[in-house]
Amino acid sequence: MQKSLVVGIGGTTNGGKSTLSQSLQQRIPNSCIIAQDTFFKDDSMVPVDSNGFKQYDTLDAINMDLMMRDVELWRTDPGVYLTSRGTGPPPETPDQEKVYVLIVEGFLIFNHRPLNELMDMRYFLEIPFEVCRERRCSRVYNPPDPPGYFDGHVWPMYLKNKQEMEDTVSGIVVLDGLKLKEDLLASVCEAITHEMQSLVG
């Protein structure tokens, strides 16, 4: 049976989730990323709140069924999943010592119980309000953020979702998103490598 590990990288918007996940994937053999951001529903399907803000920071804005289907495809046969995406060795040459690692990245991955329950390791990146706002405002989104969107919707929803996560999920390692990227990568990579070695040892 193939040995596998599911690692969740969550956190606030612009907290460094994608950067950390991509760096981990480059460092860890037989790993791949499934990113929550790639499963957003079409803009026309995202509801609007009483302030006129699009409700992008909720699970309803994401096609979680489609995301879960992708995760299940990986879980069924990680080797085939990697090969179908052009990475990893052909599935007909199994290696008993191999550990496949799935990095699940996204801002609401721990708030979706069926997905959270599949995770072996959980990391959550935090950055302060002012830093988050500055980073968010320096990025270009499609559709673009309307005036007041960060203060009026994004940050309040982040706090709400984070509280819900803390009330229902245990075993999350909180990371300081202001730390050097190299240091964050080194500590998380070391922990994952240790876990991988325990699976084959």
Side-chain angles (χ1 to χ4, degrees), residues 84-150:
S84 71
R85 277 149 184 76
T87 56
E92 62 268 18
T93 55
D95 177 358
Q96 296 307 312
E97 294 303 297
K98 194 176 284 154
V99 178
Y100 291 96
V101 178
L102 174 62
I103 301 161
V104 182
E105 180 256 308
F107 69 116
L108 286 176
I109 55 173
F110 304 127
N111 295 69
H112 187 65
R113 183 172 294 180
L115 178 57
N116 176 62
E117 286 175 349
L118 300 177
M119 293 184 195
D120 301 296
M121 305 175 78
R122 299 171 182 82
Y123 292 94
F124 190 86
L125 283 149
E126 287 187 334
I127 54 174
F129 170 81
E130 291 298 340
V131 177
C132 189
R133 179 205 253 165
E134 188 181 320
R135 289 184 185 179
R136 176 88 181 200
C137 293
S138 68
R139 285 181 63 182
V140 178
Y141 287 88
N142 183 23
D145 285 353
Y149 190 64
F150 181 83

Side-chain angles (χ1 to χ4, degrees), residues 40-48 54-58 60-61:
F40 271 115
K41 294 175 182 174
D42 186 77
D43 183 55
S44 62
M45 298 175 69
V46 180
V48 178
K54 282 275 188 178
Q55 299 287 287
Y56 270 108
D57 292 65
T58 67
D60 288 340

Side-chain angles (χ1 to χ4, degrees), residues 1-200:
M1 186 177 170
Q2 292 175 329
K3 298 178 177 70
S4 62
L5 198 62
V6 182
V7 181
I9 307 288
T12 177
T13 176
N14 293 278
K17 300 182 299 297
S18 299
T19 302
L20 177 58
S21 298
Q22 287 159 12
S23 300
L24 284 169
Q25 200 228 333
Q26 289 163 10
R27 290 273 290 271
I28 297 169
N30 304 304
S31 66
C32 67
I33 300 170
I34 293 180
Q36 197 171 37
D37 278 3
T38 59
F39 296 94
F40 271 115
K41 294 175 182 174
D42 186 77
D43 183 55
S44 62
M45 298 175 69
V46 180
V48 178
D49 70 5
S50 57
N51 297 312
F53 293 134
K54 282 275 188 178
Q55 299 287 287
Y56 270 108
D57 292 65
T58 67
L59 282 170
D60 288 340
I62 305 161
N63 194 329
M64 289 306 300
D65 289 345
L66 210 56
M67 184 176 185
M68 289 300 293
R69 200 178 309 158
D70 223 24
V71 172
E72 286 301 333
L73 272 175
W74 178 87
R75 291 182 73 225
T76 301
D77 196 322
V80 168
Y81 186 92
L82 280 180
T83 307
S84 71
R85 277 149 184 76
T87 56
E92 62 268 18
T93 55
D95 177 358
Q96 296 307 312
E97 294 303 297
K98 194 176 284 154
V99 178
Y100 291 96
V101 178
L102 174 62
I103 301 161
V104 182
E105 180 256 308
F107 69 116
L108 286 176
I109 55 173
F110 304 127
N111 295 69
H112 187 65
R113 183 172 294 180
L115 178 57
N116 176 62
E117 286 175 349
L118 300 177
M119 293 184 195
D120 301 296
M121 305 175 78
R122 299 171 182 82
Y123 292 94
F124 190 86
L125 283 149
E126 287 187 334
I127 54 174
F129 170 81
E130 291 298 340
V131 177
C132 189
R133 179 205 253 165
E134 188 181 320
R135 289 184 185 179
R136 176 88 181 200
C137 293
S138 68
R139 285 181 63 182
V140 178
Y141 287 88
N142 183 23
D145 285 353
Y149 190 64
F150 181 83
D151 291 49
H153 175 69
V154 175
W155 190 260
M157 285 303 297
Y158 160 67
L159 295 177
K160 177 177 180 290
N161 292 326
K162 180 170 174 276
Q163 187 61 58
E164 179 189 280
M165 176 194 79
E166 289 171 346
D167 290 344
T168 57
V169 182
S170 59
I172 294 177
V173 177
V174 177
L175 302 173
D176 180 357
L178 297 183
K179 278 189 174 178
L180 286 173
K181 291 173 186 174
E182 295 78 11
D183 293 346
L184 285 171
L185 173 62
S187 64
V188 176
C189 197
E190 183 183 353
I192 293 173
T193 303
H194 178 76
E195 200 68 26
M196 290 168 69
Q197 288 168 346
S198 70
L199 285 173
V200 296

